[in-house]
Amino acid sequence: MKIEVRNIYKLFGTRPEKWLDDAKAGVDKRELLEKSGHTLGLRNINLNIEAGQIYVIMGLSGSGKSTLIRHFNRLIEPTEGQIIVDGKDIMTMSKRELEDFRRHKVSMVFQRFGLLPHKTIVENVAYGLGIQGVSKSIRHEKAYYWLDQVGLNGFENQYPAQLSGGMQQRVGLARALATNPDILLMDEAFSALDPLIRREMQDQLIALQEKLNKTIIFITHDLDEALRLGNRVAILRDGELIQEGTPEDILLNPENAYVKAFLQDVNRGKVLTVGHAIKQPNVTITTNISPQNALKKLQHHGADYACVLESNILKGIVTHLDIIKADQARDKNITRYIHKVATISEGAELQSVFPQLLDNKQPIAVINQQDEFKGWLSRTKVINLIQ
Amino acid sequence: MFPELIPARKLRKMIDAGIDNLVSAYGDMLDKAIQPFIDLLVWLEQGLRHCPWWIVLVGVGLLTWTSSRRWQLTLAMPALLGFIGAIGLWDQGMQTLSLMIVATGLSILVGIPTGIVMSRSSWLRKVALPILDIMQTMPSFVYLIPVVMFFGLGKIPAIIATVIYAVPPLIRLTDLGIRLVDKEVLEASQAFGANARQQLLGVQLPLAMPNIMAGINQTTMMALAMVVIASMIGAKGLGQEVLMGINRLEVGRGLLAGLAIVALAILFDRITQAFGQRRQQQEHPA
């Protein structure tokens, strides 16, 4: 496990230790504020984050998500609890160790970018390296490389204010990546961008992540974004963890009414994939089966057609009628009678098959990346999932 | 009659005696401590007064150019200084100018570090703000008395009185500037592992610079307002001319010296402002 968050409590106020027991006893946030003047930031947060994951923490404003992400590099200290990174509890680190941890292991991308307005783009990207004490020529070389990676070459000597929001956040991303950290903290990194640019940035993040394989902790209030980016998603409400799981888990099995209400506006067709709406084929046969045997198999299952596979690759389908014809023509096998069928990849967004479902009465086959046959696309399941 | 709760005469005597004791105990030490500034001031003053006038003009022109990059201003500022020479006040002008430069330098030396310390501690800020208010509102003649007792008459008490009067805005604006630094930018530098020094030099001071420059600008303006008062305790220069004008009821003398002071004020104001503006233009192009 890359990062373990254990029993994190955070109270904001003058004497948080005094009221910690109330927080542990489960006193309601509002009640606690009234009787103690302390705001409950986080209550008993436990998370396990694996290396190479994009781990999304989502919640509305006031849910404690921005507080939580600042615990991972101790910009905010917890009232109690541990965060264990690579086996070491970061809460026990000395000031010097913490500086070192922040310089080399973890970096952060901010909602409003947090760029230095008085430095040029290349100096901004090189900032973390400068803090490490890397010489100017090397850090500029690296900064140029990362600017190129995020598609910003040519802007090196501009100032942040001369760039659009989306470009500024690319600078923020390049700056975070330039120190080559294991862990990337992204605090509502794309929330300040307009929808088109946000989408673009999400794609870019996914593409970069495929190459870099960082452990990314991503904060957002946008459920669509959470489900799109996250390998796993944790939902916070009023400082408490409500549900944690894969995007599909959360979408298909919401734990309570709060999550359900959240999910109402989600475009499920965009989040769920064709793989979620597979039904297993009734009858599968191989290409060299004799018509008689094929006929028997079909009759045994009472099916109208069978799918023809050759070492897991779908060749097409044959209908009951075709097999009878083959039998009458005394063919050795049914190869001549195979009809091609439409196929779709199991990773495709569910909504992308709607047009095909509408004007295609024939079954649609679902295949994986290796072109292997996974099953048929179930119209009933599609409708049930979308509803 | 308001009842005399505290015997005023006794209190006054006590204060007088206290200051007397301080002067006899620490006067020599303070004189020694201040000696480097006297040397600097004398050196600067001699330099400016003996320098051919055209070199001073060219120097001011160069300074204006580096701060503003505007050629109109670069021509106007030496012309303004030339005006002081043209009305026969060059020598006095240079004396006042050197006094101003040393007073401003000393204010920066005291004001910026104090402002930085203040921005780091809310407690200190609560203590310091009323003191700054007192420094700004207390009539300057009141602290001229002990300053003269400590340092005698001449340039040094003039400079110290000037600094006391002129430094508060710089302290305030340095403190304010640092507190106004975008929290997210500061957080970003912390997140990359910057230590306190790296945060201060790399983020807080540069981002507070427009406010600090405004503070320096204010400080120079207030320092100029002190030149006439400073001349009463023996600082030579334009202030002395004004004072002479008052004493002899010579309106012309007073007016010309006054205009020369205004010219110096404009000079300082435009150059310090240009420094701040050019930085802001870089960061926030229209």
Side-chain angles (χ1 to χ4, degrees):
Chain A
M1 205 58 66
K2 183 79 185 170
I3 306 171
E4 289 171 66
V5 177
R6 287 203 198 138
N7 312 334
I8 291 281
Y9 285 86
K10 177 67 189 178
L11 284 166
F12 291 102
T14 43
R15 291 189 58 199
E17 306 81 17
K18 190 180 162 195
W19 300 97
L20 186 59
D21 286 336
D22 290 71
K24 282 185 177 170
V27 176
D28 180 66
K29 183 175 179 170
R30 201 168 300 150
E31 202 182 311
L32 190 73
L33 183 64
E34 266 171 31
K35 84 178 196 192
S36 71
H38 284 57
T39 308
L40 180 72
L42 294 169
R43 187 188 340 247
N44 198 20
I45 303 295
N46 287 282
L47 301 171
N48 291 316
I49 299 168
E50 277 174 43
Q53 274 188 340
I54 298 184
Y55 197 101
V56 176
I57 296 168
M58 87 145 282
L60 302 179
S61 48
S63 63
K65 56 192 190 303
S66 285
T67 305
L68 180 57
I69 199 172
R70 280 165 176 71
H71 280 73
F72 288 95
N73 56 1
R74 273 177 68 187
L75 284 178
I76 294 179
E77 304 276 346
T79 308
E80 192 181 274
Q82 301 170 299
I83 291 181
I84 296 159
V85 177
D86 290 331
K88 181 155 173 61
D89 180 6
I90 62 167
M91 300 311 163
T92 63
M93 285 180 178
S94 68
K95 201 175 157 196
R96 185 59 61 81
E97 282 176 303
L98 180 64
E99 268 169 22
D100 210 53
F101 175 74
R102 287 172 175 174
R103 285 177 191 183
H104 297 282
K105 273 215 138 160
V106 59
S107 56
M108 194 159 176
V109 182
F110 293 84
Q111 180 173 11
R112 289 181 303 110
F113 325 131
L115 301 178
L116 302 168
H118 61 297
K119 298 207 167 190
T120 60
I121 298 307
V122 68
E123 283 168 341
N124 263 287
V125 175
Y127 182 73
L129 296 163
I131 295 293
Q132 290 177 9
V134 174
S135 76
K136 189 171 175 178
S137 61
I138 295 178
R139 65 175 196 255
H140 275 213
E141 188 185 313
K142 286 191 177 171
Y144 271 83
Y145 171 78
W146 284 108
L147 277 172
D148 184 50
Q149 288 292 300
V150 298
L152 270 187
N153 31 8
F155 292 91
E156 291 84 0
N157 295 314
Q158 307 257 32
Y159 285 87
Q162 294 169 292
L163 268 53
S164 70
M167 286 156 101
Q168 289 190 44
Q169 194 57 298
R170 280 169 213 265
V171 177
L173 189 58
R175 176 177 67 174
L177 290 169
T179 56
N180 194 24
D182 290 352
I183 301 164
L184 209 55
L185 305 174
M186 304 186 72
D187 180 22
E188 300 234 24
F190 304 152
S191 301
L193 308 176
D194 57 58
L196 274 180
I197 306 290
R198 191 185 311 172
R199 180 96 190 174
E200 228 174 76
M201 293 291 287
Q202 290 166 356
D203 288 337
Q204 186 162 44
L205 182 68
I206 292 170
L208 277 169
Q209 170 68 352
E210 270 169 22
K211 272 195 282 185
L212 303 172
N213 217 27
K214 307 271 181 202
T215 306
I216 300 175
I217 297 169
F218 194 101
I219 298 284
T220 181
H221 62 252
D222 175 358
L223 192 61
D224 274 322
E225 185 169 68
L227 298 174
R228 192 167 134 75
L229 290 177
N231 297 111
R232 290 188 85 80
V233 178
I235 297 180
L236 289 185
R237 181 199 187 185
D238 290 343
E240 289 173 65
L241 184 64
I242 302 276
Q243 190 174 2
E244 196 270 355
T246 62
E248 291 84 0
D249 276 349
I250 288 176
L251 204 50
L252 299 176
N253 310 302
E255 203 126 292
N256 56 28
Y258 180 75
V259 180
K260 229 178 251 172
F262 235 130
L263 295 170
Q264 241 164 24
D265 294 332
V266 172
N267 184 349
R268 289 153 171 261
K270 252 161 93 178
V271 180
L272 295 170
T273 61
V274 168
H276 290 109
I278 293 176
K279 74 171 174 213
Q280 287 311 309
N282 285 336
V283 189
T284 57
I285 55 178
T286 54
T287 39
N288 49 19
I289 193 169
S290 69
Q292 292 92 334
N293 285 342
L295 208 51
K296 264 187 215 156
K297 243 186 158 174
L298 269 188
Q299 278 162 351
H300 177 72
H301 286 94
D304 295 333
Y305 61 90
C307 53
V308 186
L309 296 181
E310 201 175 82
S311 57
N312 280 340
I313 307 290
L314 183 71
K315 289 293 165 191
I317 58 168
V318 286
T319 60
H320 197 178
L321 205 64
D322 290 330
I323 301 178
I324 294 173
K325 275 188 198 157
D327 193 28
Q328 284 166 351
R330 298 190 178 283
D331 282 337
K332 274 222 180 86
N333 55 40
I334 41 95
T335 324
R336 279 208 300 139
Y337 300 91
I338 296 174
H339 302 273
K340 288 256 175 257
V341 286
T343 62
I344 188 156
S345 136
E346 67 174 345
E349 285 177 2
L350 206 50
Q351 67 177 12
S352 69
V353 300
F354 295 167
Q356 269 172 289
L357 281 178
L358 284 177
D359 49 53
N360 199 342
K361 288 282 178 286
Q362 287 207 318
I364 299 172
V366 181
I367 55 174
N368 67 9
Q369 282 188 321
Q370 285 75 42
D371 283 338
E372 290 167 353
F373 179 63
K374 302 301 285 183
W376 299 111
L377 183 67
S378 159
R379 286 180 160 76
T380 339
K381 276 194 179 170
V382 170
I383 288 166
N384 283 338
L385 284 175
I386 295 301
Q387 273 181 335
Chain B
M1 271 292 271
F2 193 85
E4 195 182 76
L5 298 175
I6 305 165
R9 179 189 286 268
K10 223 172 159 186
L11 187 66
R12 288 202 303 261
K13 281 262 152 53
M14 251 168 65
I15 295 171
D16 291 349
I19 294 287
D20 277 345
N21 284 338
L22 276 180
V23 171
S24 53
Y26 298 109
D28 286 346
M29 208 183 79
L30 273 174
D31 275 348
K32 279 210 187 75
I34 215 75
Q35 193 59 42
F37 292 103
I38 301 183
D39 294 343
L40 176 70
L41 183 63
V42 169
W43 176 79
L44 192 69
E45 198 183 298
Q46 294 302 323
L48 278 176
R49 285 170 75 182
H50 290 120
C51 205
W53 57 269
W54 52 272
I55 292 190
V56 178
L57 294 194
V58 170
V60 167
L62 281 176
L63 190 67
T64 315
W65 176 251
T66 43
S67 70
S68 70
R69 295 289 149 85
R70 296 212 317 262
W71 62 267
Q72 299 101 317
L73 206 64
T74 307
L75 289 180
M77 290 301 108
L80 213 54
L81 202 59
F83 163 75
I84 296 177
I87 57 174
L89 291 169
W90 182 261
D91 202 37
Q92 289 91 330
M94 288 304 108
Q95 284 176 329
T96 297
L97 185 64
S98 51
L99 196 78
M100 291 296 311
I101 291 174
V102 174
T104 307
L106 203 61
S107 296
I108 291 173
L109 230 53
V110 174
I112 293 181
T114 312
I116 291 170
V117 175
M118 234 169 97
S119 73
R120 308 213 143 196
S121 144
S122 301
W123 174 84
L124 197 75
R125 188 160 191 260
K126 277 188 199 134
V127 180
L129 280 181
I131 297 179
L132 293 181
D133 289 337
I134 292 172
M135 284 163 73
Q136 276 184 296
T137 45
M138 178 76 78
S140 30
F141 290 103
V142 175
Y143 51 78
L144 278 183
I145 308 163
V147 168
V148 168
M149 284 170 74
F150 272 109
F151 302 106
L153 292 174
K155 297 188 186 79
I156 285 299
I159 285 182
I160 290 179
T162 307
V163 169
I164 293 176
Y165 180 68
V167 81
L170 179 57
I171 297 177
R172 275 180 215 277
L173 281 162
T174 303
D175 167 56
L176 181 75
I178 290 177
R179 281 170 193 266
L180 285 183
V181 166
D182 186 345
K183 191 171 157 282
E184 223 180 47
V185 178
L186 190 62
E187 239 183 1
S189 99
Q190 288 165 350
F192 282 98
N195 57 30
R197 188 181 56 83
Q198 286 167 326
Q199 284 170 39
L200 182 69
L201 297 181
V203 179
Q204 290 174 308
L205 281 186
L207 294 196
M209 207 37 95
N211 273 313
I212 295 177
M213 286 311 292
I216 292 176
N217 179 278
Q218 291 275 303
T219 294
T220 55
M221 293 302 104
M222 293 183 67
L224 267 173
M226 278 290 282
V227 291
V228 177
I229 292 172
S231 73
M232 296 172 79
I233 52 174
K236 296 195 174 66
L238 295 172
Q240 202 186 22
E241 283 289 309
V242 175
L243 202 63
M244 251 195 301
I246 298 171
N247 288 338
R248 303 182 189 170
L249 291 178
E250 291 178 350
V251 180
R253 187 186 285 272
L255 186 65
L256 286 186
L259 283 177
I261 292 175
V262 171
L264 274 186
I266 296 173
L267 194 81
F268 268 99
D269 179 61
R270 290 303 127 89
I271 292 177
T272 49
Q273 265 192 26
F275 261 113
Q277 273 172 8
R278 211 159 66 83
R279 284 184 45 97
Q280 278 193 317
Q281 271 165 13
Q282 246 172 18
E283 288 155 27
H284 307 283

